[in-house]
Amino acid sequence: QKEVEQNSGPLSVPEGAIASLNCTYSDRVSQSFFWYRQYSGKSPELIMSIYSNGDKEDGRFTAQLNKASQYVSLLIRDSQPSDSATYLCAVKPTGGSYIPTFGRGTSLIVHP
Amino acid sequence: GAGVSQSPSNKVTEKGKDVELRCDPISGHTALYWYRQSLGQGLEFLIYFQGNSAPDKSGLPSDRFSAERTGGSVSTLTIQRTQQEDSAVYLCASSELAGELFFGEGSRLTVL
């Protein structure tokens, strides 16, 4: 069974710090990787997608992908209290399946 | 509206009753997904529709659950003879690009 693993946290960082969220996956040939943010009581919201090894930056967010080591990470620079949420990692398997597998998420708390 | 619309937002029912949950996806999105999320848990895949193809029902937990999608647009998830363990938030998402899901606000189901 294909799995996506995340540390449930909570990860607590001070305002202004860099928050680092990690995700590992079991399907070695997975192709597409996504980060979703879910505020408490709300639905998930796509914030980043990454398809190639290396870094992808979007504002304060950087997604990092290392296919050889089967991990993907999300860095949040200059963390703000409004970034406090659960961050879900999702992996789209290879082949014809279009159903992403979600990790259980990491809870991030940014304290002032 | 431009987003995924779900109704009802909240549903309280008695054990043994049938419920229907509705999802109106983003216009032009050919893929539609149903997930459910129990309190404090991750996303559990239920069913996936892609265009006019046969749906992927591999995530449905029992034969009490069924879903249809009419005209390639609106989808209805039906739960027959509801049980208390069916209590959860049912999330619908639509997608144009595989893995990049746009979620509705969810339907919170409480079975008494």
Side-chain angles (χ1 to χ4, degrees):
Chain A
Q1 181 174 345
K2 300 179 178 61
E3 294 184 346
V4 178
E5 300 288 341
Q6 296 182 256
N7 187 320
S8 62
L11 172 65
S12 182
V13 300
E15 184 174 358
I18 296 175
S20 177
L21 304 162
N22 299 312
C23 170
T24 60
Y25 57 94
S26 63
D27 184 359
R28 178 174 293 277
V29 295
S30 294
Q31 295 179 333
S32 310
F33 308 85
F34 309 90
W35 284 99
Y36 289 79
R37 177 176 61 200
Q38 186 173 25
Y39 291 114
S40 180
K42 299 295 186 181
S43 57
E45 172 191 16
L46 178 68
I47 55 172
M48 291 284 287
S49 57
I50 186 166
Y51 303 94
S52 304
N53 274 329
D55 295 359
K56 179 181 178 182
E57 186 174 318
D58 184 0
R60 294 186 297 112
F61 298 94
T62 298
Q64 300 177 317
L65 175 60
N66 184 323
K67 291 187 178 181
S69 299
Q70 295 176 240
Y71 83 78
V72 56
S73 61
L74 180 69
L75 302 179
I76 306 175
R77 291 182 301 280
D78 188 24
S79 296
Q80 301 297 311
S82 58
D83 295 326
S84 299
T86 296
Y87 289 80
L88 305 172
C89 173
V91 176
K92 176 193 169 302
T94 57
S97 174
Y98 291 85
I99 303 167
T101 300
F102 283 82
R104 296 185 64 171
T106 298
S107 174
L108 172 66
I109 299 172
V110 181
H111 53 86
Chain B
V4 177
S5 178
Q6 290 189 247
S7 61
S9 55
N10 279 286
K11 176 71 176 179
V12 180
T13 190
E14 293 179 346
K15 178 181 174 180
K17 300 287 189 181
D18 297 353
V19 296
E20 286 189 349
L21 307 176
R22 175 189 167 101
C23 173
D24 197 347
I26 293 172
S27 178
H29 282 190
T30 58
L32 187 146
Y33 305 75
W34 284 98
Y35 287 83
R36 73 176 175 182
Q37 188 173 36
S38 301
L39 188 62
Q41 301 300 309
L43 294 176
E44 178 187 2
F45 166 72
L46 297 177
I47 189 168
Y48 163 68
F49 296 89
Q50 173 61 53
N52 295 319
S53 302
D56 184 328
K57 306 179 182 180
S58 60
L60 295 178
S62 78
D63 58 9
R64 296 187 295 105
F65 288 73
S66 63
E68 63 177 17
R69 187 179 186 191
T70 54
S73 181
V74 172
S75 177
T76 302
L77 177 68
T78 301
I79 309 172
Q80 296 179 311
R81 305 181 301 282
T82 52
Q83 304 295 312
Q84 289 184 332
E85 61 263 29
D86 299 334
S87 296
V89 176
Y90 289 80
L91 292 164
C92 176
S94 69
S95 174
E96 188 175 23
L97 292 176
E100 297 191 357
L101 274 56
F102 293 85
F103 286 86
E105 290 301 312
S107 293
R108 180 177 300 277
L109 174 65
T110 302
V111 182
L112 301 177

